[in-house]
Structures are given as C-alpha cells and as structure tokens.
Amino acid sequence: MAQIRYLNTIEMEAGAIRHLAAGCASVGIRRPLLVTDAGVRAAGLVDRALQELRDIEHVAVFDGTPSNPTEAAVREALAVARQNNCDGLIALGGGSSIDCAKGTAIAATHEGPLARYATIEGGSPLISERVWPLIAIPTTAGTGSEVARGAIVIVEDGRKLGFHSWHLMPKLAILDPDLTLGLPPSLTAATGMDAIAHCMEAFMAPAFNPPADGIALDGLERGWAHIAIATHEGRNVEARLQMMSASMQGALAFQKGLGCVHSLSHSLGGVDPALHHGTLNAMFLPAVIRFNAQADTVVRERRLERMAAAMGLGRMDSAEQAAQALGEAVKAMNRRLGLPSGLAAMGVEPSCFDRVIDGAMVDHCHKLNPRLASRDDYRQMLHASM
C-alpha cells in the first residue's frame, strides 16, 4: 500500500515574503534564528527578510552556511541560536541553507552526533516531533527542500548523508520569485537542472504514487519550458515563478524516491564538496536514463516516452528510442545553459571512481532506482558521464 503525504503550507507569488512575520506567529516562533549564507546576505536578501520581521522582539542571524552543509556548520548555527535564546528557525537561501537549518532543528533537540539520525544508519525513527519549527524561504529554484522531509549534510566523518523524517518538513514554505531575480545565470541553470532531475527521477521511480507521478510530469513540463528563459532572461518574473513551481513539484514528487542520479551525485559531492549538486545531476541524467530504459516498470508504463512528450520531443515508439532522445535533449540543454560538457570538464578524475561507487552503493537512493545498479553499472555510468 502506498503512503501519500502532502503536509505543509505554501505561499507562492511575487512578494510572498510579506507573509513571513505572520508565518512566524502561526507556527509559534517568537525568537527566530535566520539561517543563510554570505552570498544571500551580500545580495541584500537578509535585510529584506529582517525588514519583514521588524516587529518581532529579537532575530538572530547565522550566515555561515557552506555550499554543501556540514555538521560543523550545524553546530555553529546552534551555538548562535543558544546564545540568543532562539525557539525556531527561518531558512533563507538555497538548498544548503534549508538543509543546514534542518540539521540545526535536529541538533537543537536531539542528543549525540548527527550521524545517529541518518537514514542509512536507521536513524529516521529517532527524529521526533521535538525538532524546532522551521520556515523555509528558497532563493533558488532547484532543491525543493522547502517542501521535502529530507536534508543532506556532510557529517563529522566526511560522509554525505541523508536525513529523512516528516517532522523535518518546514511548517511553512514561502516561494517568492522576486527573491530569485538576481540569481546569476550559472546558478540559475545548475539549480534548475536539479529541479528537472528531481521531476525525472521521481517519475521513473517504481513506487506506486499516482499523485506524485502527475506532479512530477507537470513539473518537468514547466521546468523544461522555462529553464532557458530564466537563465538568459533573469528578470523574467513569470519564468522565475515557473521554475520555483518546478522545483517545489519535484520535491513534492520525490517522496516516491529518486535513484542512481542522486546516488552518484551524493557520493561524488561527498568526495569533492566543491562540486555543485545540481550540475552533477545534469551530468549523470543521460547515462542513468539509458540504464533505466531496461527497467520493467519504466518499459511497461512507458515512462520515458511520457517524459519525452512532456518535454516536447515528439512521439516515441520504444523506451530505447525515448532514452536516446532524452539523453541528447539533456546534453543539448546543458550546452544551451552553459553548463559543463561532462565530469571531466568539472575536474573529476577516474581515480576517484572506486570511492564514488562505494558511496553510491550505500546511498539511501540506491535501492529506489527502477533497476538495481551493480558496481560495474555505476562504473559504466561514471565513464559515460565524463
């Protein structure tokens, strides 16, 4: 039996940040810690949020979130929160800030190292309703972490682990496309491809969840139609809104599961934290789509052909034909957006493949792929993505 849950409140429109103060009151946050990063602060978005919070007694700010959130950053954020007697969290930024805030929500109310609560360590049931309430305000359109129950954090031993609990889902998500208008083209492209990867992998995942399938397919159609416009016409509010929707929809859908794209990108991102997660997803998509073309559920339910139709690629007569067309379309879109041509262009060396495969085999997404990958399968995907 499928379990289907859509839980939080979403405010989505231009100017939606005006709901922030009322949102704090609605979820019981009186002294928030605003978790963000230096780039978001430099862009003036922290000041914009603080202006909306001007009537709240005290707001503390932590702007030390790294590009890939770490347990060290979580502990630093928690120290600021303790010093300021905070009772809840506002995450302002991309997926890294939102995931850092989720890690802080756990650490604030649960003892011990974060790894204890990681999904692959069996820690999900240990995450309780005691976590601090969280409001998420994305400033990118990619991860969808504002409506997701999961977070990715690099823990103390260097592993990049997933944390999943419905208690981690933000109580309120504020999606304001105005906050993304200043996002550079390169980051718009990389985060946008992250959203598209979420929609595609969630749709290919074998779990039975028809609502998630519909959401993913619609999100893919919106994202594919608007990502180039948002990248090259950054002040286009409509394109920015559509990309925020695609991002949100991808995350609503991936409660079904993801797959090999994310197993590989999580692992490689742990090996080299400087690599951007969304860009890695864009590199891995073609090879994983080809691998999934032989999966029973993908073939039987014509999943690749349906994705090709949503992307305007025309009618496909087989999964193999669709896989070829989809892979070529993703590579062409990567070129159009100015993304790297492959892993080699990102500085990845084959010498790290064994470590990447080790991590992919134990990643929480590994067994959720429609076709179970072996070590040799992963190696072939890595070589094909170079």
Side-chain angles (χ1 to χ4, degrees):
M1 179 181 293
Q3 183 181 77
I4 300 168
R5 301 178 71 170
Y6 294 106
L7 298 177
N8 67 345
T9 300
I10 303 166
E11 298 283 359
M12 183 168 64
E13 61 177 331
I17 197 170
R18 69 178 183 273
H19 298 289
L20 180 54
C24 285
S26 71
V27 303
I29 299 176
R30 294 184 299 276
R31 294 176 65 90
L33 173 69
L34 194 155
V35 178
T36 188
D37 63 52
V40 171
R41 187 161 208 166
L45 299 183
V46 170
D47 289 340
R48 191 163 177 181
L50 292 176
Q51 177 62 24
E52 296 296 333
L53 297 169
R54 59 190 176 276
D55 294 330
I56 289 184
E57 176 186 353
H58 184 72
V59 182
V61 177
F62 172 76
D63 64 3
T65 304
S67 57
N68 285 281
T70 63
E71 184 167 356
V74 165
R75 300 297 176 189
E76 291 170 10
L78 181 57
V80 175
R82 297 289 193 213
Q83 292 165 7
N84 290 274
N85 297 315
C86 295
D87 60 4
L89 298 155
I90 299 169
L92 176 68
S96 295
S97 292
I98 299 173
D99 284 2
C100 187
K102 289 179 179 179
T104 306
I106 298 171
T109 52
H110 295 69
E111 295 182 354
L114 276 184
R116 179 184 180 192
Y117 305 97
T119 302
I120 65 169
E121 300 289 345
S124 293
L126 301 178
I127 301 173
S128 74
E129 71 282 353
R130 293 183 294 112
V131 299
W132 276 357
L134 169 62
I135 294 173
I137 311 171
T139 60
T140 65
T143 69
S145 191
E146 70 275 4
V147 295
R149 71 192 191 282
I152 304 295
V153 179
I154 299 174
V155 297
E156 289 177 343
D157 63 12
R159 290 180 296 164
K160 193 171 189 178
L161 300 183
F163 299 79
H164 297 83
S165 168
W166 292 110
H167 299 303
L168 290 179
M169 180 175 282
K171 302 297 185 185
L172 170 66
I174 297 177
L175 278 65
D176 187 341
D178 288 349
L179 302 182
T180 70
L181 296 180
L183 200 64
S186 60
L187 198 53
T188 300
T191 55
M193 286 304 295
D194 192 17
I196 285 169
H198 290 159
C199 291
M200 296 181 82
E201 276 219 293
F203 188 69
M204 289 186 287
F208 182 76
N209 190 329
D213 285 338
I215 291 168
L217 208 58
D218 182 82
L220 173 60
E221 183 174 4
R222 290 175 189 273
W224 193 258
H226 291 92
I227 186 171
I229 300 171
T231 298
H232 300 302
E233 302 174 25
R235 306 297 297 182
N236 188 313
V237 177
E238 177 63 19
R240 293 291 193 180
L241 177 65
Q242 294 296 336
M243 290 308 301
M244 293 203 92
S245 185
S247 175
M248 176 265 293
Q249 289 176 253
L252 289 178
F254 67 46
Q255 63 174 264
K256 274 186 69 185
L258 292 167
C260 290
V261 169
H262 280 76
S263 297
L264 287 166
S265 60
H266 289 158
S267 183
L268 182 50
V271 170
D272 185 353
L275 298 174
H276 189 273
H277 174 72
T279 306
L280 289 176
N281 285 345
M283 301 301 103
F284 287 128
L285 265 173
V288 174
I289 290 170
R290 287 196 297 273
F291 177 74
N292 287 345
Q294 298 180 42
D296 289 343
T297 55
V298 168
V299 174
R300 183 173 65 252
E301 298 175 12
R302 295 183 59 81
R303 297 210 167 243
L304 301 189
E305 295 94 321
R306 291 158 70 188
M307 287 197 300
M311 293 161 63
L313 303 182
R315 178 180 175 82
M316 302 291 158
D317 296 325
S318 67
E320 289 76 11
Q321 183 186 20
Q324 180 69 24
L326 288 166
E328 291 176 355
V330 169
K331 289 180 179 179
M333 181 63 79
N334 289 341
R335 290 192 297 270
R336 184 179 178 189
L337 299 176
L339 292 174
S341 58
L343 297 178
M346 298 176 70
V348 176
E349 299 284 348
S351 59
C352 75
F353 283 2
D354 283 333
R355 291 175 62 197
V356 175
I357 293 167
D358 288 343
M361 292 293 292
V362 298
D363 187 80
H364 61 274
C365 294
H366 168 63
K367 292 184 179 180
L368 302 178
N369 198 69
R371 181 184 173 201
L372 194 62
S374 67
R375 292 186 67 88
D376 286 343
D377 292 327
Y378 275 130
R379 193 175 301 278
Q380 290 176 21
M381 291 180 221
L382 283 161
H383 280 293
S385 303
M386 289 294 283

PDB file of all heavy atoms in Angstrom, residues 113-143:
ATOM      1  N   PRO A 113      25.826  12.783  17.988  1.00  0.00           N
ATOM      2  CA  PRO A 113      26.240  13.201  16.643  1.00  0.00           C
ATOM      3  C   PRO A 113      25.102  13.067  15.651  1.00  0.00           C
ATOM      4  O   PRO A 113      24.213  12.220  15.797  1.00  0.00           O
ATOM      5  CB  PRO A 113      27.390  12.233  16.319  1.00  0.00           C
ATOM      6  CG  PRO A 113      27.121  11.036  17.155  1.00  0.00           C
ATOM      7  CD  PRO A 113      26.505  11.549  18.420  1.00  0.00           C
ATOM      8  N   LEU A 114      25.129  13.885  14.607  1.00  0.00           N
ATOM      9  CA  LEU A 114      24.065  13.846  13.606  1.00  0.00           C
ATOM     10  C   LEU A 114      23.951  12.490  12.928  1.00  0.00           C
ATOM     11  O   LEU A 114      22.852  12.057  12.573  1.00  0.00           O
ATOM     12  CB  LEU A 114      24.295  14.936  12.550  1.00  0.00           C
ATOM     13  CG  LEU A 114      23.802  16.343  12.853  1.00  0.00           C
ATOM     14  CD1 LEU A 114      24.021  17.244  11.652  1.00  0.00           C
ATOM     15  CD2 LEU A 114      22.332  16.351  13.252  1.00  0.00           C
ATOM     16  N   ALA A 115      25.091  11.826  12.708  1.00  0.00           N
ATOM     17  CA  ALA A 115      25.069  10.540  12.005  1.00  0.00           C
ATOM     18  C   ALA A 115      24.109   9.554  12.647  1.00  0.00           C
ATOM     19  O   ALA A 115      23.570   8.666  11.977  1.00  0.00           O
ATOM     20  CB  ALA A 115      26.475   9.950  11.946  1.00  0.00           C
ATOM     21  N   ARG A 116      23.894   9.692  13.932  1.00  0.00           N
ATOM     22  CA  ARG A 116      22.970   8.789  14.624  1.00  0.00           C
ATOM     23  C   ARG A 116      21.573   8.847  14.020  1.00  0.00           C
ATOM     24  O   ARG A 116      20.818   7.876  14.083  1.00  0.00           O
ATOM     25  CB  ARG A 116      22.920   9.163  16.107  1.00  0.00           C
ATOM     26  CG  ARG A 116      21.974   8.325  16.944  1.00  0.00           C
ATOM     27  CD  ARG A 116      21.926   8.824  18.379  1.00  0.00           C
ATOM     28  NE  ARG A 116      21.014   8.025  19.179  1.00  0.00           N
ATOM     29  CZ  ARG A 116      20.587   8.356  20.387  1.00  0.00           C
ATOM     30  NH1 ARG A 116      21.018   9.491  20.934  1.00  0.00           N
ATOM     31  NH2 ARG A 116      19.741   7.587  21.047  1.00  0.00           N
ATOM     32  N   TYR A 117      21.207   9.985  13.423  1.00  0.00           N
ATOM     33  CA  TYR A 117      19.847  10.189  12.911  1.00  0.00           C
ATOM     34  C   TYR A 117      19.759  10.044  11.389  1.00  0.00           C
ATOM     35  O   TYR A 117      18.695  10.297  10.815  1.00  0.00           O
ATOM     36  CB  TYR A 117      19.358  11.569  13.349  1.00  0.00           C
ATOM     37  CG  TYR A 117      19.442  11.738  14.851  1.00  0.00           C
ATOM     38  CD1 TYR A 117      20.532  12.381  15.436  1.00  0.00           C
ATOM     39  CD2 TYR A 117      18.476  11.196  15.679  1.00  0.00           C
ATOM     40  CE1 TYR A 117      20.638  12.494  16.816  1.00  0.00           C
ATOM     41  CE2 TYR A 117      18.576  11.301  17.064  1.00  0.00           C
ATOM     42  CZ  TYR A 117      19.660  11.950  17.624  1.00  0.00           C
ATOM     43  OH  TYR A 117      19.751  12.047  18.988  1.00  0.00           O
ATOM     44  N   ALA A 118      20.848   9.613  10.752  1.00  0.00           N
ATOM     45  CA  ALA A 118      20.866   9.467   9.303  1.00  0.00           C
ATOM     46  C   ALA A 118      20.004   8.288   8.860  1.00  0.00           C
ATOM     47  O   ALA A 118      19.884   7.270   9.565  1.00  0.00           O
ATOM     48  CB  ALA A 118      22.299   9.283   8.811  1.00  0.00           C
ATOM     49  N   THR A 119      19.444   8.405   7.683  1.00  0.00           N
ATOM     50  CA  THR A 119      18.546   7.377   7.176  1.00  0.00           C
ATOM     51  C   THR A 119      19.243   6.030   7.045  1.00  0.00           C
ATOM     52  O   THR A 119      18.703   5.002   7.476  1.00  0.00           O
ATOM     53  CB  THR A 119      17.982   7.814   5.811  1.00  0.00           C
ATOM     54  OG1 THR A 119      17.303   9.061   5.981  1.00  0.00           O
ATOM     55  CG2 THR A 119      17.017   6.783   5.262  1.00  0.00           C
ATOM     56  N   ILE A 120      20.452   6.004   6.462  1.00  0.00           N
ATOM     57  CA  ILE A 120      21.125   4.712   6.249  1.00  0.00           C
ATOM     58  C   ILE A 120      21.626   4.106   7.547  1.00  0.00           C
ATOM     59  O   ILE A 120      21.978   2.917   7.576  1.00  0.00           O
ATOM     60  CB  ILE A 120      22.289   4.826   5.240  1.00  0.00           C
ATOM     61  CG1 ILE A 120      23.413   5.724   5.796  1.00  0.00           C
ATOM     62  CG2 ILE A 120      21.810   5.317   3.901  1.00  0.00           C
ATOM     63  CD1 ILE A 120      24.684   5.644   4.967  1.00  0.00           C
ATOM     64  N   GLU A 121      21.637   4.879   8.632  1.00  0.00           N
ATOM     65  CA  GLU A 121      22.001   4.355   9.946  1.00  0.00           C
ATOM     66  C   GLU A 121      20.765   3.913  10.728  1.00  0.00           C
ATOM     67  O   GLU A 121      20.865   3.532  11.901  1.00  0.00           O
ATOM     68  CB  GLU A 121      22.758   5.424  10.756  1.00  0.00           C
ATOM     69  CG  GLU A 121      24.048   5.906  10.118  1.00  0.00           C
ATOM     70  CD  GLU A 121      25.150   4.853  10.151  1.00  0.00           C
ATOM     71  OE1 GLU A 121      25.009   3.875  10.907  1.00  0.00           O
ATOM     72  OE2 GLU A 121      26.134   5.000   9.399  1.00  0.00           O
ATOM     73  N   GLY A 122      19.607   3.952  10.080  1.00  0.00           N
ATOM     74  CA  GLY A 122      18.365   3.590  10.770  1.00  0.00           C
ATOM     75  C   GLY A 122      17.879   4.654  11.720  1.00  0.00           C
ATOM     76  O   GLY A 122      17.066   4.371  12.618  1.00  0.00           O
ATOM     77  N   GLY A 123      18.337   5.897  11.523  1.00  0.00           N
ATOM     78  CA  GLY A 123      18.043   6.942  12.487  1.00  0.00           C
ATOM     79  C   GLY A 123      16.760   7.713  12.272  1.00  0.00           C
ATOM     80  O   GLY A 123      16.370   8.510  13.139  1.00  0.00           O
ATOM     81  N   SER A 124      16.068   7.502  11.146  1.00  0.00           N
ATOM     82  CA  SER A 124      14.857   8.290  10.881  1.00  0.00           C
ATOM     83  C   SER A 124      13.818   8.201  11.993  1.00  0.00           C
ATOM     84  O   SER A 124      13.242   9.228  12.390  1.00  0.00           O
ATOM     85  CB  SER A 124      14.246   7.872   9.542  1.00  0.00           C
ATOM     86  OG  SER A 124      15.088   8.221   8.470  1.00  0.00           O
ATOM     87  N   PRO A 125      13.545   6.994  12.561  1.00  0.00           N
ATOM     88  CA  PRO A 125      12.527   6.935  13.624  1.00  0.00           C
ATOM     89  C   PRO A 125      12.928   7.665  14.902  1.00  0.00           C
ATOM     90  O   PRO A 125      12.068   7.933  15.747  1.00  0.00           O
ATOM     91  CB  PRO A 125      12.404   5.424  13.884  1.00  0.00           C
ATOM     92  CG  PRO A 125      12.916   4.758  12.653  1.00  0.00           C
ATOM     93  CD  PRO A 125      14.005   5.657  12.162  1.00  0.00           C
ATOM     94  N   LEU A 126      14.218   7.985  15.027  1.00  0.00           N
ATOM     95  CA  LEU A 126      14.682   8.685  16.227  1.00  0.00           C
ATOM     96  C   LEU A 126      14.418  10.187  16.162  1.00  0.00           C
ATOM     97  O   LEU A 126      14.513  10.884  17.172  1.00  0.00           O
ATOM     98  CB  LEU A 126      16.177   8.440  16.436  1.00  0.00           C
ATOM     99  CG  LEU A 126      16.618   6.988  16.590  1.00  0.00           C
ATOM    100  CD1 LEU A 126      18.140   6.907  16.730  1.00  0.00           C
ATOM    101  CD2 LEU A 126      15.932   6.347  17.795  1.00  0.00           C
ATOM    102  N   ILE A 127      14.122  10.699  14.976  1.00  0.00           N
ATOM    103  CA  ILE A 127      13.820  12.127  14.824  1.00  0.00           C
ATOM    104  C   ILE A 127      12.358  12.340  15.223  1.00  0.00           C
ATOM    105  O   ILE A 127      11.452  11.800  14.598  1.00  0.00           O
ATOM    106  CB  ILE A 127      14.064  12.592  13.381  1.00  0.00           C
ATOM    107  CG1 ILE A 127      15.525  12.342  12.979  1.00  0.00           C
ATOM    108  CG2 ILE A 127      13.731  14.077  13.244  1.00  0.00           C
ATOM    109  CD1 ILE A 127      15.815  12.623  11.510  1.00  0.00           C
ATOM    110  N   SER A 128      12.157  13.112  16.271  1.00  0.00           N
ATOM    111  CA  SER A 128      10.818  13.237  16.847  1.00  0.00           C
ATOM    112  C   SER A 128      10.199  14.600  16.567  1.00  0.00           C
ATOM    113  O   SER A 128      10.822  15.498  15.997  1.00  0.00           O
ATOM    114  CB  SER A 128      10.892  13.018  18.360  1.00  0.00           C
ATOM    115  OG  SER A 128      11.475  14.157  18.994  1.00  0.00           O
ATOM    116  N   GLU A 129       8.972  14.739  17.038  1.00  0.00           N
ATOM    117  CA  GLU A 129       8.252  15.998  16.872  1.00  0.00           C
ATOM    118  C   GLU A 129       8.870  17.132  17.698  1.00  0.00           C
ATOM    119  O   GLU A 129       8.449  18.285  17.577  1.00  0.00           O
ATOM    120  CB  GLU A 129       6.778  15.823  17.261  1.00  0.00           C
ATOM    121  CG  GLU A 129       6.507  15.643  18.749  1.00  0.00           C
ATOM    122  CD  GLU A 129       6.811  14.239  19.259  1.00  0.00           C
ATOM    123  OE1 GLU A 129       7.104  13.354  18.426  1.00  0.00           O
ATOM    124  OE2 GLU A 129       6.748  14.030  20.486  1.00  0.00           O
ATOM    125  N   ARG A 130       9.897  16.841  18.481  1.00  0.00           N
ATOM    126  CA  ARG A 130      10.546  17.875  19.286  1.00  0.00           C
ATOM    127  C   ARG A 130      11.422  18.811  18.455  1.00  0.00           C
ATOM    128  O   ARG A 130      11.907  19.821  18.964  1.00  0.00           O
ATOM    129  CB  ARG A 130      11.402  17.224  20.386  1.00  0.00           C
ATOM    130  CG  ARG A 130      10.580  16.483  21.440  1.00  0.00           C
ATOM    131  CD  ARG A 130      11.456  15.921  22.553  1.00  0.00           C
ATOM    132  NE  ARG A 130      12.349  14.881  22.075  1.00  0.00           N
ATOM    133  CZ  ARG A 130      13.670  14.989  22.003  1.00  0.00           C
ATOM    134  NH1 ARG A 130      14.266  16.115  22.355  1.00  0.00           N
ATOM    135  NH2 ARG A 130      14.413  13.983  21.585  1.00  0.00           N
ATOM    136  N   VAL A 131      11.682  18.476  17.180  1.00  0.00           N
ATOM    137  CA  VAL A 131      12.525  19.358  16.367  1.00  0.00           C
ATOM    138  C   VAL A 131      11.936  20.768  16.352  1.00  0.00           C
ATOM    139  O   VAL A 131      10.722  20.958  16.436  1.00  0.00           O
ATOM    140  CB  VAL A 131      12.665  18.840  14.916  1.00  0.00           C
ATOM    141  CG1 VAL A 131      13.307  17.472  14.887  1.00  0.00           C
ATOM    142  CG2 VAL A 131      11.319  18.809  14.202  1.00  0.00           C
ATOM    143  N   TRP A 132      12.822  21.741  16.268  1.00  0.00           N
ATOM    144  CA  TRP A 132      12.359  23.130  16.223  1.00  0.00           C
ATOM    145  C   TRP A 132      11.531  23.393  14.976  1.00  0.00           C
ATOM    146  O   TRP A 132      11.827  22.852  13.889  1.00  0.00           O
ATOM    147  CB  TRP A 132      13.560  24.069  16.230  1.00  0.00           C
ATOM    148  CG  TRP A 132      14.091  24.371  17.594  1.00  0.00           C
ATOM    149  CD1 TRP A 132      13.579  23.954  18.793  1.00  0.00           C
ATOM    150  CD2 TRP A 132      15.218  25.192  17.899  1.00  0.00           C
ATOM    151  NE1 TRP A 132      14.330  24.447  19.824  1.00  0.00           N
ATOM    152  CE2 TRP A 132      15.345  25.215  19.314  1.00  0.00           C
ATOM    153  CE3 TRP A 132      16.145  25.892  17.129  1.00  0.00           C
ATOM    154  CZ2 TRP A 132      16.343  25.913  19.963  1.00  0.00           C
ATOM    155  CZ3 TRP A 132      17.143  26.599  17.774  1.00  0.00           C
ATOM    156  CH2 TRP A 132      17.240  26.607  19.179  1.00  0.00           C
ATOM    157  N   PRO A 133      10.511  24.237  15.076  1.00  0.00           N
ATOM    158  CA  PRO A 133       9.736  24.606  13.882  1.00  0.00           C
ATOM    159  C   PRO A 133      10.598  25.386  12.895  1.00  0.00           C
ATOM    160  O   PRO A 133      11.496  26.136  13.297  1.00  0.00           O
ATOM    161  CB  PRO A 133       8.598  25.460  14.443  1.00  0.00           C
ATOM    162  CG  PRO A 133       9.119  25.984  15.749  1.00  0.00           C
ATOM    163  CD  PRO A 133      10.014  24.903  16.293  1.00  0.00           C
ATOM    164  N   LEU A 134      10.314  25.191  11.623  1.00  0.00           N
ATOM    165  CA  LEU A 134      11.131  25.776  10.555  1.00  0.00           C
ATOM    166  C   LEU A 134      10.249  26.395   9.486  1.00  0.00           C
ATOM    167  O   LEU A 134       9.270  25.782   9.040  1.00  0.00           O
ATOM    168  CB  LEU A 134      12.019  24.684   9.940  1.00  0.00           C
ATOM    169  CG  LEU A 134      12.761  25.009   8.644  1.00  0.00           C
ATOM    170  CD1 LEU A 134      13.744  26.147   8.845  1.00  0.00           C
ATOM    171  CD2 LEU A 134      13.463  23.767   8.102  1.00  0.00           C
ATOM    172  N   ILE A 135      10.600  27.604   9.078  1.00  0.00           N
ATOM    173  CA  ILE A 135      10.025  28.261   7.899  1.00  0.00           C
ATOM    174  C   ILE A 135      11.117  28.321   6.845  1.00  0.00           C
ATOM    175  O   ILE A 135      12.251  28.713   7.142  1.00  0.00           O
ATOM    176  CB  ILE A 135       9.536  29.676   8.234  1.00  0.00           C
ATOM    177  CG1 ILE A 135       8.366  29.617   9.212  1.00  0.00           C
ATOM    178  CG2 ILE A 135       9.125  30.433   6.967  1.00  0.00           C
ATOM    179  CD1 ILE A 135       7.926  30.982   9.735  1.00  0.00           C
ATOM    180  N   ALA A 136      10.817  27.909   5.629  1.00  0.00           N
ATOM    181  CA  ALA A 136      11.814  27.879   4.558  1.00  0.00           C
ATOM    182  C   ALA A 136      11.454  28.877   3.469  1.00  0.00           C
ATOM    183  O   ALA A 136      10.317  28.900   2.985  1.00  0.00           O
ATOM    184  CB  ALA A 136      11.925  26.479   3.963  1.00  0.00           C
ATOM    185  N   ILE A 137      12.458  29.682   3.087  1.00  0.00           N
ATOM    186  CA  ILE A 137      12.283  30.683   2.028  1.00  0.00           C
ATOM    187  C   ILE A 137      13.390  30.469   0.999  1.00  0.00           C
ATOM    188  O   ILE A 137      14.514  30.948   1.172  1.00  0.00           O
ATOM    189  CB  ILE A 137      12.369  32.115   2.582  1.00  0.00           C
ATOM    190  CG1 ILE A 137      11.483  32.279   3.817  1.00  0.00           C
ATOM    191  CG2 ILE A 137      11.979  33.127   1.511  1.00  0.00           C
ATOM    192  CD1 ILE A 137      11.692  33.600   4.543  1.00  0.00           C
ATOM    193  N   PRO A 138      13.135  29.714  -0.061  1.00  0.00           N
ATOM    194  CA  PRO A 138      14.187  29.453  -1.051  1.00  0.00           C
ATOM    195  C   PRO A 138      14.514  30.692  -1.877  1.00  0.00           C
ATOM    196  O   PRO A 138      13.630  31.473  -2.229  1.00  0.00           O
ATOM    197  CB  PRO A 138      13.589  28.350  -1.921  1.00  0.00           C
ATOM    198  CG  PRO A 138      12.109  28.531  -1.797  1.00  0.00           C
ATOM    199  CD  PRO A 138      11.879  29.026  -0.388  1.00  0.00           C
ATOM    200  N   THR A 139      15.789  30.864  -2.159  1.00  0.00           N
ATOM    201  CA  THR A 139      16.229  31.947  -3.046  1.00  0.00           C
ATOM    202  C   THR A 139      16.795  31.376  -4.344  1.00  0.00           C
ATOM    203  O   THR A 139      17.331  32.117  -5.171  1.00  0.00           O
ATOM    204  CB  THR A 139      17.288  32.819  -2.363  1.00  0.00           C
ATOM    205  OG1 THR A 139      18.419  32.007  -2.022  1.00  0.00           O
ATOM    206  CG2 THR A 139      16.718  33.459  -1.106  1.00  0.00           C
ATOM    207  N   THR A 140      16.676  30.074  -4.522  1.00  0.00           N
ATOM    208  CA  THR A 140      16.984  29.409  -5.784  1.00  0.00           C
ATOM    209  C   THR A 140      15.796  28.523  -6.131  1.00  0.00           C
ATOM    210  O   THR A 140      14.937  28.260  -5.284  1.00  0.00           O
ATOM    211  CB  THR A 140      18.251  28.543  -5.694  1.00  0.00           C
ATOM    212  OG1 THR A 140      18.018  27.453  -4.774  1.00  0.00           O
ATOM    213  CG2 THR A 140      19.454  29.352  -5.224  1.00  0.00           C
ATOM    214  N   ALA A 141      15.746  28.044  -7.355  1.00  0.00           N
ATOM    215  CA  ALA A 141      14.687  27.130  -7.781  1.00  0.00           C
ATOM    216  C   ALA A 141      15.357  25.836  -8.195  1.00  0.00           C
ATOM    217  O   ALA A 141      15.726  25.667  -9.357  1.00  0.00           O
ATOM    218  CB  ALA A 141      13.875  27.734  -8.925  1.00  0.00           C
ATOM    219  N   GLY A 142      15.544  24.942  -7.217  1.00  0.00           N
ATOM    220  CA  GLY A 142      16.270  23.712  -7.526  1.00  0.00           C
ATOM    221  C   GLY A 142      15.974  22.563  -6.599  1.00  0.00           C
ATOM    222  O   GLY A 142      15.378  21.575  -6.992  1.00  0.00           O
ATOM    223  N   THR A 143      16.350  22.676  -5.328  1.00  0.00           N
ATOM    224  CA  THR A 143      16.291  21.506  -4.458  1.00  0.00           C
ATOM    225  C   THR A 143      14.884  21.152  -4.028  1.00  0.00           C
ATOM    226  O   THR A 143      14.587  19.980  -3.798  1.00  0.00           O
ATOM    227  CB  THR A 143      17.135  21.723  -3.187  1.00  0.00           C
ATOM    228  OG1 THR A 143      16.513  22.706  -2.370  1.00  0.00           O
ATOM    229  CG2 THR A 143      18.539  22.162  -3.540  1.00  0.00           C
TER     230      THR A 143
END
